[in-house]
Amino acid sequence: MKILFLLGFLLGSHCFFSLAFGSKSFVKEKIIAFSELHKKLTQLGTKPHNVWTYGEFTAWGEVKDGVFAASYPKLLSYGFLQKITPFTVSPMEVIVQIAVCEADFPIPAMKEGMRFEITKSEPAEVIEMIQSNCFYARLRLSAPPRILSIPKAEKVDKKKAKKETRQQKEAFANGQIEGSNNPEEQIADQPLVVHFSDIERALKKRGPHPIETWTYGRFSVDSPLKDGLFIAHEAGLATRRIVEGVISAGIIFPFGERYDSAIFVSDIPNLKIPKKSVIEIPKNHPARVEEIVKAGGLIVRIKLENIPKVEQEGSSDGAKDFFSPLIRVFSP
């Protein structure tokens, strides 16, 4: 009887320790408020391990292909200051914080301007973090977020959507909408090569995760290459923004340029790309576009497979970068 009791105790203990050990895989080691996350970048690194976050955000748009962008803090993220801060070269990094969220479940309620909360009890996993003119983080949601408020502009958006739908139906009835004659629209898997300034065309034609889509151009590097990641923007754009702000916007460059960010991913060994350098990706060796997400401007994830030309900022090509919109407009 004692032997049976001892065996039972050992088996029970084994099961208990197995369950306890097994549960460790579900323990979230570090849960940090999103508002504090940028302060931990140096400590946790660009690609943190087992780090989770929570907070209140404002959505930049609806979920498409399982991805959408949101911003923090809640009071500034959908306002004028949030949209103009990345255009400047000012020490306001902590004001603009953007999260690109991955979700493998539907979130049909998500709309532009909608406030939502990633709760502490169901936090999101932090996949990547980068600090440049703004703080960028990539999050993987573990559960649908809690909707906090619906934007006031939604009623206006619904009226606009109904009007556009009615116009499309009328155009179709009048024979104005037929099959497209544009091969790029008909065959989505044919190679599409666009200059980075025209990257929105790829989003419209092929969605957030475009197939066989490539881009080229010159980029100013905003953060150094670290753990295979760095962030950049079109060369010359920041300078043009400052000049337009000083000399009454739109007089010199009335092209309505967005401030789009390029997040480069690379596994090229021993590649060094310092902050404030300029890289050039030629048209005959473009880089693959992996993802395009709306966040005021566009956040474009680009796979860098070839070693680019790297030069110091303010080199002899600085004037060419500044006048590049005019060069593209008047080029054949």
Side-chain angles (χ1 to χ4, degrees), residues 211-222:
I211 299 172
E212 285 297 309
T213 302
W214 309 78
T215 192
Y216 63 98
R218 289 172 57 82
F219 300 84
S220 292
V221 178
D222 296 319

Side-chain angles (χ1 to χ4, degrees), residues 33-64:
F34 192 83
S35 59
E36 298 294 314
L37 205 53
H38 67 280
K39 301 176 185 178
K40 307 290 185 181
L41 178 59
T42 303
Q43 175 187 344
L44 298 174
T46 305
K47 294 182 178 180
H49 175 67
N50 206 9
V51 175
W52 303 73
T53 192
Y54 62 95
E56 296 182 7
F57 302 82
T58 304
W60 281 107
E62 59 186 288
V63 183
K64 290 185 177 180

Side-chain angles (χ1 to χ4, degrees), residues 180-194 201-202 205-207 209-215 286 288-289:
S180 173
N181 294 322
N182 189 337
E184 292 175 358
E185 295 177 355
Q186 290 179 345
I187 306 176
D189 59 353
Q190 285 190 354
L192 173 64
V193 181
V194 297
R201 183 158 63 97
K205 293 181 181 298
R206 303 195 169 182
H209 297 114
I211 299 172
E212 285 297 309
T213 302
W214 309 78
T215 192
R288 183 185 294 275
V289 178

Side-chain angles (χ1 to χ4, degrees), residues 113-134:
M114 181 171 286
R115 290 262 310 283
F116 67 92
E117 180 185 13
I118 297 174
T119 63
K120 190 174 183 179
S121 60
E122 294 179 310
E125 185 178 8
V126 182
I127 307 301
E128 297 170 357
M129 298 191 293
I130 304 176
Q131 177 76 57
S132 60
N133 293 329
C134 64

Side-chain angles (χ1 to χ4, degrees), residues 213-264:
T213 302
W214 309 78
T215 192
Y216 63 98
R218 289 172 57 82
F219 300 84
S220 292
V221 178
D222 296 319
S223 70
L225 174 64
K226 188 176 182 181
D227 296 331
L229 291 170
F230 68 96
I231 192 167
H233 64 273
E234 185 185 354
L237 177 58
T239 307
R240 291 196 296 273
R241 288 288 183 184
I242 294 172
V243 172
E244 287 178 356
V246 173
I247 312 177
S248 191
I251 293 178
I252 298 179
F253 295 100
F255 302 115
E257 295 179 281
R258 284 186 323 275
Y259 194 101
D260 297 336
S261 298
I263 294 176
F264 285 92

Side-chain angles (χ1 to χ4, degrees), residues 12-46:
S13 301
H14 174 73
C15 291
F16 172 77
F17 288 120
S18 296
L19 287 170
F21 178 80
S23 66
K24 287 185 179 179
S25 61
F26 296 99
V27 174
K28 299 172 177 58
E29 293 178 359
K30 300 182 183 71
I31 302 179
I32 303 169
F34 192 83
S35 59
E36 298 294 314
L37 205 53
H38 67 280
K39 301 176 185 178
K40 307 290 185 181
L41 178 59
T42 303
Q43 175 187 344
L44 298 174
T46 305

